């Protein structure tokens, strides 16, 4: 990840520890990040959200090499939990962003392709076969599982994210169609 984008993301997340997403401004982030080309890199808050998602992808990707090789279900579980661990480091900021869009969920639709790309990065990292129609179904199924688990994570106040892990495991077990494709 580009060092300027990294600096912008980290600065934004620090600001979000104190302010809501709705109340932060790009000018404030530009000033505090001290990134000279800020206006060329970030045009609006949607742009900023995409870069934050890319930052989380970057953080997860740096940890993926530590994943234990096992069956695909267990590896998917591990990589998704890695993402939740990264999100957990910035929990207050993530919740602030999410809370600001509760009343206007349509504004988040632009982020769906980015989140699908995040899922793609995760499944590629564990060498999950994703070619053809079955591959597309796997990605979309894992996306649905991730989003469902995200809603559990939002309310999971346990230190070890026990509720999130339990829900994710349940969703992976429950979706027999996904598991059939994963085990091929």
């Amino acid at each position: 990840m580009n060092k300027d984008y990294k600096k912008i993301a980290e600065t934004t997340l620090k600001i979000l520890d104190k302010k809501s997403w709705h109340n932060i401004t790009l000018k404030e982030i530009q000033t505090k990040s001290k990134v000279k080309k800020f206006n060329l890199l970030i045009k609006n808050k949607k742009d900023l959200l995409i870069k934050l998602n890319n930052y989380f992808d970057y953080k997860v990707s740096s940890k993926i090499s530590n994943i234990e090789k096992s069956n695909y279900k267990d590896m998917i579980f591990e990589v998704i939990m890695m993402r939740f661990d990264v999100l957990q480091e910035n929990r207050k900021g993530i919740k602030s962003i999410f809370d600001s869009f509760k009343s206007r969920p349509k504004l988040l639709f632009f982020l769906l392709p980015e989140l699908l790309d995040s899922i793609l990065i995760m499944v590629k990292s564990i060498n999950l076969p994703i070619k053809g129609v079955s591959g597309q179904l796997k990605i979309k199924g894992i996306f649905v599982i991730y989003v469902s688990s995200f809603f559990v994570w939002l309310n999971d106040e346990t230190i070890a994210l026990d509720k999130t892990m339990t829900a994710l495991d349940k969703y992976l077990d429950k979706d027999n169609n996904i598991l059939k494709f994963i085990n091929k």
Side-chain angles (χ1 to χ4, degrees), residues 103-120:
S103 62
R104 300 179 299 169
K106 288 182 182 179
L107 293 176
L108 283 176
F109 283 128
F110 79 92
L111 198 54
L112 289 178
E114 298 298 323
L115 291 173
L116 279 168
D117 283 347
S118 297
I119 297 299
L120 190 58

Side-chain angles (χ1 to χ4, degrees), residues 115-144:
L115 291 173
L116 279 168
D117 283 347
S118 297
I119 297 299
L120 190 58
I121 289 167
M122 289 189 283
V123 298
K124 281 184 173 181
S125 71
I126 61 170
N127 297 316
L128 180 69
I130 53 171
K131 290 187 179 185
V133 174
S134 67
Q136 294 302 308
L137 290 173
K138 287 178 201 178
I139 292 168
K140 289 173 183 164
I142 293 168
F143 175 76
V144 169

Side-chain angles (χ1 to χ4, degrees), residues 141 144-145 170-180:
V144 169
I145 289 169
K170 181 182 91 175
Y171 296 145
L172 286 169
D173 280 341
K174 198 173 192 180
D175 196 336
N176 290 326
N177 291 330
I178 295 295
L179 292 177
K180 285 178 192 173

Side-chain angles (χ1 to χ4, degrees), residues 31-114:
T31 301
K32 290 186 178 180
S33 69
K34 299 177 183 167
V35 172
K36 292 178 184 175
K37 300 181 205 174
F38 186 91
N39 291 330
L40 296 173
L41 301 173
I42 305 293
K43 306 281 186 236
N44 52 46
K45 278 190 162 180
K46 286 181 180 180
D47 230 7
L48 183 58
L49 272 179
I50 290 169
K51 298 310 178 212
L52 284 172
N53 187 65
N54 294 345
Y55 174 74
F56 297 132
D57 289 342
Y58 162 77
K59 297 271 287 185
V60 171
S61 294
S62 68
K63 295 178 178 197
I64 284 181
S65 62
N66 300 332
I67 198 165
E68 184 179 319
K69 301 296 179 204
S70 60
N71 66 59
Y72 285 125
K73 179 207 171 222
D74 290 347
M75 289 190 299
I76 290 168
F77 178 89
E78 269 193 72
V79 77
I80 290 175
M81 284 309 301
M82 281 180 188
R83 186 164 178 99
F84 285 126
D85 288 341
V86 167
L87 294 179
Q88 187 71 8
E89 295 168 9
N90 304 284
R91 184 177 187 80
K92 191 172 182 181
I94 301 302
K95 286 183 86 168
S96 174
I97 293 168
F98 183 77
D99 288 345
S100 72
F101 289 105
K102 280 183 181 176
S103 62
R104 300 179 299 169
K106 288 182 182 179
L107 293 176
L108 283 176
F109 283 128
F110 79 92
L111 198 54
L112 289 178
E114 298 298 323

Side-chain angles (χ1 to χ4, degrees), residues 7 14 21 32 55 72 164:
K7 182 72 173 163
K14 282 181 188 173
W21 174 257
K32 290 186 178 180
Y55 174 74
Y72 285 125
T164 303

